[in-house]
Amino acid sequence: MTVTALLVGCGQDQRPGTFTFTSPGGQSRVFYDPPVTRGLVPPIAGEDVLRPGVDIGTASFPGQVVVLNIWGSWCGPCRAETPELEAAARATAPLGVQFLGIDVRDDRDAAADFLRDRGVSYPSIYDPPGRTLLALRGFPRNVVPSTIVLDREGRVAAVFLTAVLTADIEPTIRRIATEPRSPAGGGP
């Protein structure tokens, strides 16, 4: 059984407007609502798994909902969730949603084969040591797979610290994709 938490803030020790991960009571699914309480994440970027020498990152998708998925080709649950994420990515793309993988603790050839063999349509950052995750203050870098949904303004709206099914994540993504932008226009 999975428990969902509704948070009113993103942590009391953070600077205003920045994201610091907190998981009350060890929850595996955390939703940051209402939107005005969400913390902003600095741009996350790195070299593309399939295109060595080409950087890709959250700033490549301004104004879009960005779904970050932390994965590794060695990870059994990642193998199971990949077709689910691909289905959600295809279904929500018309809403201005972009998926972006972050491949950790992996070999580049194994990661590239994983993406090609499974027909993954979205890019992934190749980050064996998981350094890109340092932008997510307090985030547990050892939890693989995990999925983080950023709203159109680059703020963390939801975190899934477990493998997901399309039915788990697509409704959350759709809800976030249809939220009105803040009057200040924020965003990355």
Side-chain angles (χ1 to χ4, degrees):
M1 179 167 99
T2 303
V3 180
T4 305
L6 181 65
L7 300 180
V8 182
C10 299
Q12 295 181 354
D13 64 338
Q14 69 186 39
R15 292 172 298 177
T18 60
F19 174 77
T20 298
F21 178 75
T22 57
S23 179
Q27 306 298 323
S28 63
R29 297 171 188 215
V30 183
F31 301 93
Y32 297 91
D33 288 309
V36 296
T37 65
R38 296 177 186 159
L40 187 64
V41 173
I44 295 172
E47 191 173 52
D48 191 305
V49 169
L50 296 176
R51 300 178 298 159
V54 175
D55 281 352
I56 188 78
T58 55
S60 303
F61 312 107
Q64 293 188 40
V65 170
V66 177
V67 180
L68 300 171
N69 177 252
I70 295 102
W71 65 278
S73 65
W74 47 267
C75 165
C78 299
R79 293 174 183 271
E81 84 171 351
T82 297
E84 301 286 331
L85 290 169
E86 181 63 27
R90 290 180 186 274
T92 59
L95 301 173
V97 176
Q98 174 64 51
F99 277 58
L100 177 62
I102 301 175
D103 176 41
V104 296
R105 300 193 310 255
D106 217 341
D107 169 78
R108 183 183 288 275
D109 290 336
D113 288 346
F114 180 95
L115 294 174
R116 286 188 198 105
D117 290 349
R118 286 160 182 78
V120 176
S121 63
Y122 52 88
S124 280
I125 295 169
Y126 180 61
D127 185 15
R131 287 188 185 111
T132 57
L133 302 178
L134 294 174
L136 301 165
R137 291 181 28 171
F139 188 81
R141 293 176 21 185
N142 61 335
V143 179
V144 179
S146 333
T147 303
I148 301 157
V149 183
L150 305 178
D151 66 18
R152 294 188 189 282
E153 297 179 32
R155 303 172 302 185
V156 176
V159 175
F160 295 81
L161 297 171
T162 184
V164 296
L165 299 172
T166 305
D168 296 329
I169 197 163
E170 188 176 332
T172 299
I173 295 168
R174 287 182 177 280
R175 177 180 60 81
I176 293 164
T178 59
E179 291 174 344
R181 290 186 66 109
S182 71

